[in-house]
Amino acid sequence: MKSSTVRTYTTVHTWTGLIAGFGLFIAFFAGALTVFHHDIATWQSPPWRMTADADVTPDQLAQRLLQAHPDARKDFGIVLAPPGVARPPYAYWPEGGEERFATASAIDQPTEDATRGNLADFVYALHDSLGFPTVGMYFMGIVSILYGLALFSGLIIHLPHLVRDLFAMRSGKNLKRLWQDAHNVIGVLSLPFHLIFAMTGALLCLFAITFATLNVVAFDGKLFDAFGKAIATAPVIAPSGEAAPMLTLDELMQRARVQALKQGVTSFEPDYVHFSNYGDRKAVVEVRGLSQHTLGTYGTVAMNAVDGSVLETHVGKAQNTNGITNSAMYSLHFGSFGGRTVQWLYFVLGLMGAFLFYSGNLLWIESRRKRRMEDQPMKTRIMASATVGVCIGSCLGIAASFGATMLADVYGADAGLWQRVACYGFVIASAIYAWFRPLPRATRDLLWLNAVLYVALGAIDLVRNLQVWTQPWTPQASAVLGVDLTGIAMGIGFAFLARASWRRATQGDPNSVWSLDATTAPAT
């Protein structure tokens, strides 16, 4: 390969990585936690700590909805909490062209935000849109495309030396070479997964805008109707005008479960129920459920809501091509097709992905520093401050959102508000701190603060649930314990990084933005 070609790909790799790097670091770190979405939901609302409306059954919620909003019977849904989570079900229905959401006690004051206050959903929102709906999702879609370019150009650059340098970890005084080796080996070994993340991430984030563009440019406005028919999972049946009693939701979900298991899946846990023309003899109900150990994670069973007769099935071997494609895309992106082993694999891959973009920034800084000059260029100082403030700060912000959730639960405050204030507040404060504080000290301080916060949160929650550990174990207790122990382990990891960064500051190459002045460095 010509040297000019390598230089071109190197330039593309460097700048796409730098431009997209900050967003991707947050997406990967939050994404690693999102793999355990249900565990985080259980951590926030375990069954032994009941929340308001958690004891309201889906049938009771449906009746309260229809009493308060009779027109909703034409089209409404009930979103169920994950099994074992003391979180109330909430209703969804369209009204006046807007979406409405409410739990049983708030049925007269519906909101447009379905998941406000749910920590697991907040972390997920950080992953897919940095917490800014619509705009953030489009931004992350563009970031995913840049991510794909960085992957492709990085592969082209290292392809000639791939086998020779794959497992080379050359430690020594040349820290840049060590970072380069770590960056390369992680990038190459996890390349198949990163390709999946980049492609599915771009598709998921940019689907709406791509779809709208194709509808106008290539399909003469006919794409929406065609797509709606293609993805429909229940027949459209006109109401008869004759009133009839509905089967209970428990009965309908049980029938859906039996029907789904006939299609070869090993489990089917309903998480959403949708009604059309509730109360009519021809009312239709769709039960959506989650199946484990399959790429077709989500499936639906459509039935007559009066007698429970099955109208359509889209689960397991009864999935159509659209269902298989959509489910596979979600499953591959979030690792929901396997059990705990796959979840932990995706968790590690998420952290490794975050490291990949952090190390990319460090390599850029190391490549541009003046080795024989004490005073370093301003651009390296700016990039170093931004890397520390945003990357380490976002880890701190996510930990702070866990802490805010815990405090909001204790004091009965609005968890949704305090999650955002804590998360974004800590990220902004960290960026300001890294800008004004000498960088080696800021790096050490923020890493130690991460370590203390992660360990403290895990330890406090362990003590908070002390009585649970002495009782017979349940899957929910194991999930909460797993979140606490993972937090403590991450805190220990941050402590290790804090010590390593301080050692670099006091003992490493003095001509670096990471180095302290030897005459002013305090003893460690």
Side-chain angles (χ1 to χ4, degrees):
M1 187 181 297
K2 294 180 180 178
S3 58
S4 59
T5 304
V6 173
R7 282 198 300 274
T8 300
Y9 279 107
T10 301
T11 302
V12 172
H13 182 72
T14 299
W15 284 105
T16 51
L18 288 176
I19 293 171
F22 292 116
L24 286 170
F25 179 91
I26 297 172
F28 269 90
F29 190 81
L33 302 181
T34 295
V35 170
F36 298 107
H37 184 276
H38 286 178
D39 298 275
I40 294 174
T42 307
W43 182 87
Q44 181 182 2
S45 304
W48 55 85
R49 197 181 307 134
M50 296 297 289
T51 57
D53 292 337
D55 57 345
V56 173
T57 68
D59 276 311
Q60 290 172 330
L61 174 59
Q63 295 309 316
R64 292 190 194 182
L65 168 66
L66 297 176
Q67 287 174 5
H69 306 275
D71 289 342
R73 66 179 59 249
K74 297 176 184 175
D75 180 9
F76 75 92
I78 302 292
V79 180
L80 308 170
V85 175
R87 200 168 68 192
Y90 62 86
Y92 152 81
W93 71 100
E95 187 175 273
E98 303 288 340
E99 296 178 337
R100 294 286 183 266
F101 302 90
T103 57
S105 60
I107 209 71
D108 292 325
Q109 297 93 33
T111 68
E112 298 177 3
D113 185 355
T115 59
R116 182 180 175 84
N118 295 335
L119 178 62
D121 292 323
F122 177 65
V123 176
Y124 173 80
L126 291 175
H127 165 72
D128 79 340
S129 63
L130 304 181
F132 300 100
T134 310
V135 173
M137 183 169 288
Y138 292 155
F139 173 76
M140 291 306 292
I142 296 170
V143 164
S144 296
I145 293 174
L146 294 174
Y147 170 33
L149 284 174
L151 288 174
F152 177 74
S153 54
L155 181 63
I156 294 296
I157 294 167
H158 299 294
L159 199 56
H161 315 291
L162 193 61
V163 175
R164 188 189 66 193
D165 295 341
L166 181 57
F167 294 107
M169 291 294 288
R170 292 161 287 188
S171 59
K173 292 185 177 180
N174 191 340
L175 284 178
K176 180 191 172 187
R177 190 167 60 187
L178 179 62
W179 280 107
Q180 182 78 62
D181 290 339
H183 183 86
N184 292 347
V185 71
I186 290 175
V188 171
L189 290 180
S190 56
L191 182 63
F193 294 95
H194 283 286
L195 290 174
I196 291 171
F197 297 153
M199 288 189 291
T200 55
L203 286 170
L204 291 171
C205 291
L206 297 177
F207 178 79
I209 194 168
T210 304
F211 192 75
T213 303
L214 288 174
N215 184 52
V216 174
V217 174
F219 292 91
D220 196 24
K222 300 176 181 176
L223 184 58
F224 282 116
D225 286 341
F227 183 74
K229 293 175 183 176
I231 64 169
T233 55
V236 177
I237 299 177
S240 67
E242 299 176 28
M246 304 286 101
L247 291 175
T248 66
L249 273 169
D250 282 343
E251 175 65 23
L252 290 168
M253 287 190 288
Q254 180 57 29
R255 294 192 181 207
R257 191 177 287 111
V258 171
Q259 175 65 15
L261 295 180
K262 290 179 181 176
Q263 307 306 319
V265 295
T266 57
S267 62
F268 184 80
E269 191 60 48
D271 70 339
Y272 176 68
V273 181
H274 177 256
F275 282 97
S276 299
N277 302 313
Y278 187 92
D280 188 90
R281 185 171 59 81
K282 292 190 176 181
V284 175
V285 59
E286 290 174 84
V287 180
R288 191 186 71 178
L290 181 68
S291 298
Q292 300 291 342
H293 304 291
T294 173
L295 276 181
T297 308
Y298 285 100
T300 59
V301 177
M303 296 172 287
N304 181 296
V306 175
D307 58 19
S309 57
V310 176
L311 302 174
E312 286 191 21
T313 303
H314 297 272
V315 181
K317 59 187 179 185
Q319 286 269 24
N320 59 21
T321 304
N322 287 309
I324 293 171
T325 303
N326 289 332
S327 292
M329 192 163 59
Y330 278 96
S331 298
L332 289 172
H333 191 86
F334 294 106
S336 58
F337 54 88
R340 286 296 189 191
T341 302
V342 174
Q343 284 183 308
W344 280 109
L345 174 63
Y346 269 64
F347 176 76
V348 173
L349 285 168
L351 295 183
M352 288 170 63
F355 171 80
L356 204 60
F357 299 105
Y358 187 80
S359 62
N361 283 13
L362 296 185
L363 287 171
W364 188 90
I365 295 166
E366 285 296 308
S367 299
R368 282 153 184 80
R369 75 181 174 94
K370 306 297 183 184
R371 297 186 181 282
R372 298 183 184 279
M373 296 173 57
E374 183 177 349
D375 192 23
Q376 293 296 313
M378 179 58 72
K379 61 184 179 184
T380 64
R381 292 185 180 279
I382 293 174
M383 177 56 79
S385 295
T387 299
V388 170
V390 175
C391 295
I392 302 178
S394 61
C395 301
L396 194 55
I398 289 174
S401 68
F402 274 71
T405 303
M406 188 184 293
L407 289 174
D409 177 64
V410 172
Y411 293 103
D414 179 359
L417 172 65
W418 286 107
Q419 284 163 6
R420 284 163 173 73
V421 169
C423 182
Y424 296 128
F426 269 79
V427 174
I428 293 171
S430 298
I432 295 172
Y433 190 73
W435 179 256
F436 288 104
R437 176 84 160 153
L439 197 56
R441 296 183 188 278
T443 306
R444 177 202 59 180
D445 296 346
L446 292 176
L447 285 169
W448 272 118
L449 189 55
N450 265 293
V452 170
L453 198 51
Y454 276 88
V455 171
L457 285 170
I460 290 171
D461 199 59
L462 283 174
V463 174
R464 192 183 181 203
N465 297 313
L466 201 56
Q467 62 177 1
V468 177
W469 314 136
T470 60
Q471 298 174 2
W473 283 88
T474 64
Q476 290 74 35
S478 300
V480 171
L481 180 65
V483 173
D484 288 338
L485 294 181
T486 301
I488 291 173
M490 291 175 71
I492 294 171
F494 279 115
F496 171 79
L497 293 174
R499 285 177 56 86
S501 70
W502 190 245
R503 193 162 51 244
R504 170 72 176 87
T506 55
Q507 301 174 16
D509 188 341
N511 297 329
S512 167
V513 294
W514 310 109
S515 176
L516 277 177
D517 184 335
T519 58
T520 60
T524 58

